Amino acid sequence: MEQTGKLTIRTMQIGDYESVYGLWTKIRGLGIRSIDDSKEGIARFIRRNPTTSIVAEADGGIVGAILCGHDGRRGCFYHVCVKEGYRKRGIGKAMAVAAMKALKAERINKVCLIAFADNEGGNEFWKRVGWTKRCDLNYYDFTLNEENITRFNEK
């Protein structure tokens, strides 16, 4: 756990689910999957990756979150967000650093993330904090469960 003033950066627990999910629903453009982002889906994710997902607490509540996991080779960030009104205070960067330290402790040497092309704020943030945009590859995915519907929060 890392504390900076009134801000606490710590490992996410399943007990944080309702607060984190509530935060996700308020982030414009964030896509929430019906199965993967359910309480059961997040509990499964956290059991598989118990030390790498991060939350930021301030003023008595969760104001930021990163769902972070790895496959033994590469880490990945999902649903990185900071509550409006708390942005541009270093919270996103502090959470990313904490998640990357957790990955390094598990001997993971590289981390990736996906940002929607029209997520101007997110793309600007990742460039500003030193991440490299890859233009040398194509991203593909294949849906295995059509019931896992993504709902995007209104922009």
Side-chain angles (χ1 to χ4, degrees):
M1 179 169 31
E2 181 178 321
Q3 191 161 351
T4 312
K6 295 181 181 181
L7 176 70
T8 301
I9 304 294
R10 64 171 176 79
T11 303
M12 183 187 301
Q13 306 295 318
I14 193 57
D16 298 318
Y17 177 78
E18 284 76 16
S19 296
V20 170
Y21 188 86
L23 174 62
W24 289 343
T25 63
K26 292 174 179 60
I27 303 296
R28 289 188 194 140
L30 193 138
I32 299 173
R33 293 184 180 259
S34 58
I35 297 172
D36 294 341
D37 296 325
S38 69
K39 187 169 186 174
E40 295 76 23
I42 297 302
R44 183 176 57 248
F45 187 92
I46 289 174
R47 276 193 308 273
R48 180 176 167 86
N49 301 279
T51 65
T52 53
S53 293
I54 302 295
V55 294
E57 291 180 308
D59 302 320
I62 291 178
V63 298
I66 295 180
L67 197 59
C68 174
H70 69 83
D71 60 10
R73 179 181 171 114
R74 181 175 298 208
C76 193
F77 286 0
Y78 306 90
H79 294 352
V80 179
C81 60
V82 174
K83 185 177 182 178
E84 253 183 89
Y86 288 86
R87 295 177 183 167
K88 301 202 184 269
R89 296 185 188 182
I91 295 171
K93 185 174 181 181
M95 289 190 308
V97 167
M100 289 186 291
K101 284 181 180 178
L103 289 169
K104 283 183 80 172
E106 296 194 27
R107 301 179 63 195
I108 302 301
N109 298 309
K110 194 163 190 165
V111 63
C112 65
L113 65 89
I114 298 167
F116 289 109
D118 64 351
N119 181 350
E120 292 175 19
N123 286 302
E124 175 192 316
F125 170 79
W126 294 113
K127 288 178 193 172
R128 188 174 64 247
V129 297
W131 286 58
T132 302
K133 180 180 176 185
R134 299 278 307 259
C135 298
D136 61 331
L137 51 83
N138 295 318
Y139 177 82
Y140 297 90
D141 74 25
F142 188 89
T143 300
L144 296 174
N145 185 347
E146 295 292 335
E147 294 176 13
N148 192 25
I149 299 166
T150 302
R151 178 183 50 82
F152 289 94
N153 298 330
E154 292 185 27
K155 292 187 176 191

